[in-house]
Amino acid sequence: MLFQTWNFLFFLLPLLAVYFCVRRTFLRLPVLLVASYLFYAFFDWRFPIFLLGITTADYWIGRGLERKRRGWLLALSLTLNIGLLCAFKYLGFLLENLQWVLDACHVEAELPEVEWLLPVGLSFFTFKSMSYTCDLYLGRGRCERNFLAYAAYVAFFPQLVAGPIERASTLLPQLHHRMPLNGDDLAQGASVFLSGLFKKIVMADMLAVYVDRVFDDPTSYGGAALLMASYAFSWQIYFDFSGYSDMARGVARLLGFRTPLNFDNPYAADSVRDFWRRWHISLSNWFRDYVYIPMGGSRCIKVRVWWNLLVTMLVSGLWHGAAWTFLVWGGLNGLGCVVSSLFDRSNWYKKIPALVKQLVVFQFMTLTWIFFRAHTFEDAFDVLKGIIHWEEGEALFPWIPAALVLVVWGYGLLWSSRFRGFLERRPCRMAAVALAVILILLLGAGANSQFIYQQF
Amino acid sequence: MKTRLKDIPANTNGLHLGVRELLFVLIVAVALVWGGLPFWHRHALKVTLDKDFRFSYALRDDYLLYRATVKQACQEFDTLFLGDSVIWGMYVRNDSTLTACLNRAAGEEKYGNLAIDGLHPVAMETLLRNYAGDLRGKKVYLYLNPLWLNTPLYDLSGEGETSINHPRLLPQFDFSLKCYHGTLQERCNAQRERLLDFYALLHHWRVCFFDNRDFKSWIAKHPGENPLSLLRMEISPLEEGHSSNSTVDWYESGIAEQDWPWMALEDSRQWRAFLQCLRILQKRGNDVTVLVGSINPHMQTAESLAKCRALREEMQGRLTKDGVSAILLPELPSEEYGDASHPLAAGYRRLADFLVVKVACSDGVL
C-alpha cells in the first residue's frame, strides 16, 4: 500500500477518524497496532508473521536483558534479526557467489538457487528491533514491559516499509504518553505530507522516466545522456526517498507523533561525512551508534578511524542490497568519508567557498550513485566508460524536470543562506505550497510507482 | 542520544503552514485546478464539425471532447444518431455511414452521427448521464445492437476474462459486473474523472496532444518542446483514418458460422442499461426512436438465428408496449455484412433507403 494511492487514502481516513475517537482511551495502542498489521498484510498476508515473530522474540529478549545484561541474549537477538535478513536478503547472493567460486575452482557442485519473497521493509524493522535490544544491553534504554506498546513501536505503519528507523527512546514514550493532537499537528502533518508527495510524484517520478530509459540500456546512449542520467538519478533518489520520509513523518504527525528528520538538505553538504550526517539520518545514526562507535569510532589512531569509516560504509552498502554494486557503492562512500575526514582538518580546505565544496561533494555522490543504480557491474562500467570516453550523442534531457530541479536546488540554497528570512515569510510559504499542490494535481493523476527504498 | 521532541523541526524547507494558512492554500489551489481550469476550458473549447462528420476513432475515449462535440452537434443537426460502431460505420468512409447516406437522401446535413466505436449500453448509460446533457430536447435515434446480448460475457453479466470496451464508463462499484476486474486504483480514477472534469481534461490533453502518453513520459520523449504550446482550443474531432470502403464481406474474411446462446432480456445487464439510457433521454425531453439492429443471419446456425430473431422481436415488442417508437432494421443480403453486425457501404445505403421510407411514413409524407 503506497502512500500516494487511493488504497492508502481509504486506509488512512477511517483510521484517523477512529484514532481521533479513541486517542484518549486504552484502545489507542490496540487500534494503532491492528492498523499497522493490516497495512503490512496488504503487501502480502504472510509478511505480518515475520514481523510478529521478530517482535515477540525481541520483546522477551528485552525482558531478559532487563533482569540481567547477558551477552548471549543480545547475541540471540542479533542472530535472529541478522539471520532473518541473511535468509531473505543475502542467501541468494551468497550462494550465487559461492557457486562462482566453486566453478572457478573446477569443483563440480550445483548449489540451489534461492528466490524467496523478501518481506517488504525487513531491513527497516529488524534494525529498529535490534536497536532496542542493543540499547538495553548497553544500558542506554528502558525495557518496555507492555507488549502492545513494543509491538506498536516495531510495526508503526508510517515507518514500517521504508523507515525512518526510529529509536525506541523517542517513539515508545510517545506511545505511552498521549501526545496532544490539535489543529496545528494536523496542519503540520498535512504540510509535511504534501511536501513529500510533491517530491515523489512530481520530481522523482518525472526524473525516473529519463533515468530508467538510459540506465536500462546504457550502451545505446552517448556521454552527455549518461552524465545527465547520472545527475538526474542523484536527484531522483533524493526526491524519492526524502519524499517517502516526509510522507511517513507527515502521517505520523497526523496521528500526533513527532518523528525525527531523516533528510536535511543533503546536497548542501560540504564534505562526504557531512553528507552522511544529512542523508538518511536515522540509518546513518544507527550505523554510527551500533557499528562505528563500538569499533572505536573516532577515538583511536588515524588509520584505525579510517578503517572504522570504511567498514561502516561497506556494511551500509551491504544493508542497501545484496549485490557487488552496493558493496562498491559503500566502499566508495567509505573512501569519501576517509578523504573528507582528512580534508576537514586542513586549513586550505576551509578556505574553499562552500558552494564549490558542495558541488564537489555532489559530483562525488553522483559517481557513487552510478553503482547504486546500475543493474550490474558491467552496466555501471558501461556508464562510466561512456562518460569518460564522451561517446557521441545528444543528452536529450527534458528541460522541464531540469528547470524544476534547479528551482528546488535554488530554494535549498536560499534556505541555507541569509535570505532564509524571506522564504519564511507567510506569502512565500503559502505560494510555495500552493504551487506544489497545483503541480501535484496536474502531474500526479494515476501516480502509483514504487519507492526506490521500499526494495531494501 | 536522547532527542528532545520539541527540538524536532517539522521540515527542513519551511514548507509548513498553520491550520488557516493550509486551509486557505488548499481551497484556493484546488478550486483553481479542479474548478477554474475546467470551467475556462469548457467555455473556450471550440469544436468544428466537418461534412459527413463522425467522431474520431482515435479520440473515442476522450469523453470531454465528446461532450463538446455533442454540444456543437446539437446546434448543427436536427436529428442525432447514438449508438456503437454500426452507426459509427466500422468498415466505411465518412461519406458512406448511415447518417451520411440519410443526409444525401435528405439533400441537407440534417442527421448527426454521435456514435462511438465499441459503445455498449452499459457504457452508453454513463456517457449519456455525464457527457451528453446538451442533447436535451433533441430528436434522437438510439441504436440497439442485439449483439451485445449474444453471450453472458458480451452482456457483461457472466464471469470470466474478457476485454471490455470503454472500461472507464462502466459503473465502477457495481460488483454485479463480474467480468470487470479493474483495480481499486483504476476504479477510483474512473469515478474521479466523472466527478471532476479536471481529470477528464487531463485525459483529453493526453489523447489529443501528447500521443496518448502521460505527461511525464511525453516530456521525456520530447525533451526540447514546450507542452503548453501544443494545447489548442479549436479542434475538429472528425474521423480521418478510414479513407476507403471495405469490400470484403464476412464470408471472405473467413468468419466461421456462429452458434450464440443469446441472453434472455430479463437476465441481460446490457438490456437493463439500455432501458436506463432510454429513461435518461426521455427525462431530458428527447424524442427518441429506437433502431433495433439486425444481426447477420447468414453466419449463424439455425438455432442461434431463431433465438436472435425472437429476441429482436421481443425487444421491439417491449419497447412499443412501453410507448417507445422502435424500428426493427431489416436483415441484409449476405454480401452487405462485414461481420456479425456491421454493414458494408451497400448495406448502409439499403438501411438508409429503408429509414427514409419509414420516416416519411411516420411523418405522413408518404
Side-chain angles (χ1 to χ4, degrees):
Chain A
M1 200 188 311
L2 303 167
F3 286 157
Q4 75 276 31
T5 58
W6 286 102
N7 297 359
F8 184 70
L9 190 71
F10 291 142
F11 166 81
L12 184 66
L13 291 181
L15 172 65
L16 281 178
V18 172
Y19 186 78
F20 197 76
C21 296
V22 303
R23 74 189 191 284
R24 292 201 179 104
T25 70
F26 72 96
L27 287 170
R28 179 171 171 265
L29 277 181
V31 164
L32 207 54
L33 187 61
V34 169
S36 296
Y37 272 78
L38 273 177
F39 174 83
Y40 199 39
F42 203 88
F43 290 94
D44 190 304
W45 64 270
R46 291 165 292 184
F47 288 172
I49 298 168
F50 299 104
L51 183 62
L52 185 65
I54 281 296
T55 305
T56 312
D58 279 334
Y59 170 77
W60 287 110
I61 289 170
R63 295 295 299 270
L65 285 169
E66 185 192 20
R67 280 194 287 277
K68 196 172 180 186
R69 281 177 58 192
R70 293 188 181 98
W72 69 268
L73 278 176
L74 179 67
L76 179 65
S77 168
L78 297 182
T79 309
L80 281 173
N81 283 288
I82 297 173
L84 197 67
L85 264 179
C86 284
F88 282 96
K89 200 166 167 179
Y90 302 109
L91 190 60
F93 175 64
L94 284 173
L95 289 174
E96 192 184 309
N97 283 283
L98 196 58
Q99 181 73 60
W100 185 82
V101 172
L102 291 174
D103 290 347
C105 299
H106 305 289
V107 177
E108 282 203 16
E110 192 76 24
L111 295 176
E113 279 186 23
V114 179
E115 280 188 15
W116 290 345
L117 180 67
L118 174 68
V120 175
L122 181 70
S123 309
F124 291 91
F125 68 74
T126 48
F127 266 47
K128 223 170 156 181
S129 204
M130 265 195 285
S131 73
Y132 168 73
T133 49
C134 287
D135 280 350
L136 284 181
Y137 182 76
L138 296 169
R140 291 176 189 162
R142 282 178 49 201
C143 174
E144 178 54 61
R145 292 180 181 183
N146 182 342
F147 180 76
L148 283 185
Y150 181 69
Y153 155 69
V154 179
F156 189 51
F157 75 88
Q159 304 172 336
L160 184 59
V161 172
I165 303 168
E166 177 94 72
R167 300 296 173 82
S169 56
T170 53
L171 195 58
L172 275 173
Q174 298 185 67
L175 286 163
H176 280 297
H177 306 117
R178 291 148 202 164
M179 300 294 287
L181 183 58
N182 52 35
D184 274 338
D185 278 311
L186 295 178
Q188 295 264 329
S191 300
V192 178
F193 188 85
L194 279 175
S195 168
L197 200 61
F198 170 78
K199 285 178 181 173
K200 170 62 183 164
I201 65 180
V202 176
M203 303 300 298
D205 286 357
M206 195 164 357
L207 291 165
V209 181
Y210 182 80
V211 172
D212 291 350
R213 212 173 56 194
V214 175
F215 270 88
D216 284 349
D217 187 14
T219 48
S220 305
Y221 292 89
L226 292 167
L227 187 65
M228 288 311 291
S230 305
Y231 284 140
F233 181 67
S234 295
W235 286 103
Q236 184 205 338
I237 191 164
Y238 165 66
F239 288 126
D240 192 283
F241 191 27
S242 77
Y244 181 90
S245 293
D246 284 348
M247 284 191 257
R249 295 182 65 240
V251 173
R253 192 67 179 258
L254 289 173
L255 295 163
F257 293 88
R258 290 161 192 237
T259 53
L261 274 182
N262 210 24
F263 286 84
D264 185 9
N265 288 329
Y267 292 137
D270 56 11
S271 70
V272 178
R273 288 190 81 173
D274 185 28
F275 176 85
W276 282 105
R277 283 190 284 267
R278 294 159 172 266
W279 179 278
H280 201 174
I281 298 167
S282 61
L283 181 72
S284 301
N285 289 349
W286 200 100
F287 280 117
R288 183 197 64 200
D289 293 341
Y290 304 112
V291 179
Y292 180 68
I293 292 176
M295 285 169 74
S298 310
R299 293 181 180 174
C300 1
I301 56 164
K302 265 186 194 171
V303 179
R304 183 62 203 238
V305 174
W306 298 343
W307 172 251
N308 294 344
L309 282 170
L310 200 60
V311 170
T312 306
M313 292 313 296
L314 278 171
V315 176
S316 168
L318 205 57
W319 177 88
H320 281 86
W324 288 104
T325 46
F326 288 110
L327 266 175
V328 171
W329 172 79
L332 283 173
N333 273 291
L335 285 175
C337 287
V338 169
V339 172
S340 73
S341 74
L342 281 173
F343 285 179
D344 280 346
R345 290 176 193 162
S346 59
N347 286 329
W348 66 269
Y349 191 70
K350 285 174 188 159
K351 287 176 191 162
I352 297 174
L355 188 65
V356 175
K357 287 194 267 192
Q358 287 168 2
L359 284 173
V360 170
V361 172
F362 178 70
Q363 301 296 332
F364 177 76
M365 289 316 300
T366 299
L367 170 76
T368 66
W369 289 129
I370 291 173
F371 288 92
F372 193 97
R373 175 62 181 82
H375 298 299
T376 60
F377 243 151
E378 290 74 33
D379 280 356
F381 281 116
D382 281 340
V383 172
L384 285 172
K385 222 162 49 185
I387 294 172
I388 292 164
H389 292 169
W390 202 252
E391 283 160 23
E392 271 186 39
E394 284 183 74
L396 298 175
F397 188 73
W399 66 270
I400 293 178
L404 281 172
V405 166
L406 281 177
V407 169
V408 174
W409 193 23
Y411 186 94
L413 284 178
L414 282 179
W415 185 256
S416 6
S417 73
R418 61 198 166 90
F419 295 104
R420 180 176 176 149
F422 174 73
L423 295 179
E424 279 180 322
R425 286 185 187 171
R426 183 189 283 183
C428 255
R429 283 184 293 126
M430 288 171 75
V433 174
L435 191 64
V437 172
I438 289 171
L439 285 171
I440 288 169
L441 291 172
L442 279 171
L443 299 172
N448 59 352
S449 62
Q450 294 243 321
F451 290 91
I452 295 174
Y453 261 68
Q454 209 174 310
Q455 62 187 297
F456 306 134
Chain B
M1 199 45 209
K2 210 169 186 180
T3 315
R4 283 182 301 160
L5 296 176
K6 278 182 189 167
D7 296 343
I8 300 171
N11 216 338
T12 47
N13 50 26
L15 290 184
H16 50 86
L17 304 173
V19 181
R20 285 182 191 171
E21 292 168 339
L22 185 68
L23 279 177
F24 177 77
V25 165
L26 284 179
I27 290 168
V28 169
V30 166
L32 211 67
V33 175
W34 281 357
L37 189 60
F39 180 81
W40 163 78
H41 186 268
R42 195 168 179 166
H43 289 88
L45 182 66
K46 288 194 170 45
V47 171
T48 50
L49 307 181
D50 303 272
K51 192 174 182 312
D52 296 328
F53 174 80
R54 64 171 158 166
F55 198 71
S56 161
Y57 180 84
L59 305 175
R60 67 192 180 282
D61 69 344
D62 182 353
Y63 308 123
L64 190 111
L65 184 60
Y66 182 79
R67 181 167 62 197
T69 305
V70 168
K71 188 178 175 187
Q72 188 60 30
C74 287
Q75 290 168 15
E76 295 190 19
F77 300 104
D78 295 342
T79 306
L80 295 150
F81 278 66
L82 293 173
D84 59 14
S85 47
V86 173
I87 295 297
W88 186 80
M90 178 76 139
Y91 297 117
V92 297
R93 289 192 312 245
N94 292 354
D95 63 1
S96 305
T97 62
L98 181 62
T99 48
C101 294
L102 287 168
N103 283 332
R104 250 195 316 283
E108 56 177 323
E109 290 278 312
K110 197 175 165 188
Y111 302 100
N113 186 343
L114 285 179
I116 295 185
D117 178 73
L119 190 70
H120 50 86
V122 175
M124 190 195 279
E125 184 187 337
T126 310
L127 189 81
L128 291 179
R129 208 185 288 283
N130 294 277
Y131 301 99
D134 288 313
L135 275 175
R136 194 173 295 275
K138 298 292 286 188
K139 167 80 186 162
V140 169
Y141 279 93
L142 187 61
Y143 182 75
L144 169 59
N145 188 346
L147 198 65
W148 296 114
L149 281 75
N150 71 347
T151 61
L153 270 185
Y154 238 52
D155 184 62
L156 304 184
S157 52
E159 285 183 53
E161 293 292 328
T162 183
S163 105
I164 305 177
N165 292 305
H166 300 280
R168 282 169 33 238
L169 289 178
L170 295 179
Q172 298 297 323
F173 297 99
D174 176 352
F175 296 104
S176 68
L177 296 175
K178 288 180 182 138
C179 51
Y180 176 49
H181 306 292
T183 61
L184 180 66
Q185 193 79 3
E186 287 163 348
R187 290 172 196 262
C188 289
N189 286 346
Q191 200 64 42
R192 180 181 64 177
E193 187 181 326
R194 257 171 250 169
L195 293 172
L196 297 165
D197 271 358
F198 167 71
Y199 293 98
L201 177 59
L202 286 185
H203 187 81
H204 161 68
W205 282 342
R206 187 185 307 168
V207 171
C208 278
F209 309 115
F210 299 135
D211 317 331
N212 224 343
R213 291 168 188 274
D214 69 78
F215 185 70
K216 290 166 193 161
S217 310
W218 186 88
I219 58 169
K221 190 87 181 158
H222 303 84
E225 290 184 44
N226 174 8
L228 293 179
S229 70
L230 296 179
L231 304 181
R232 282 177 289 111
M233 300 309 290
E234 283 188 23
I235 297 174
S236 167
L238 179 73
E239 167 59 15
E240 288 171 341
H242 285 61
S243 54
S244 62
N245 287 333
S246 168
T247 51
V248 182
D249 67 30
W250 68 276
Y251 190 76
E252 282 176 76
S253 302
I255 301 174
E257 191 180 49
Q258 302 290 318
D259 182 18
W260 288 310
W262 297 101
M263 298 293 297
L265 288 186
E266 294 76 32
D267 307 329
S268 168
R269 182 69 181 81
Q270 297 281 21
W271 173 250
R272 227 168 45 233
F274 185 80
L275 294 180
Q276 279 299 327
C277 295
L278 259 178
R279 274 181 215 121
I280 292 168
L281 291 170
Q282 285 170 334
K283 264 190 191 167
R284 289 181 183 158
N286 292 110
D287 173 8
V288 188
T289 299
V290 174
L291 301 177
V292 182
S294 72
I295 301 297
N296 187 346
H298 317 283
M299 64 174 274
Q300 292 183 74
T301 59
E303 196 185 349
S304 175
L305 181 60
K307 283 185 196 167
C308 174
R309 282 177 174 157
L311 184 75
R312 291 180 65 218
E313 277 165 20
E314 192 184 352
M315 284 170 169
Q316 189 196 25
R318 287 204 187 189
L319 291 169
T320 312
K321 198 175 151 198
D322 290 344
V324 179
S325 164
I327 299 172
L328 209 58
L329 292 181
E331 287 171 354
L332 304 172
S334 175
E335 66 279 8
E336 291 180 9
Y337 278 109
D339 55 27
S341 63
H342 298 104
L344 299 176
Y348 282 119
R349 283 196 295 275
R350 188 184 296 274
L351 288 177
D353 292 343
F354 169 81
L355 279 177
V356 167
V357 175
K358 273 277 178 191
V359 172
C361 285
S362 65
D363 290 351
V365 178
L366 287 177

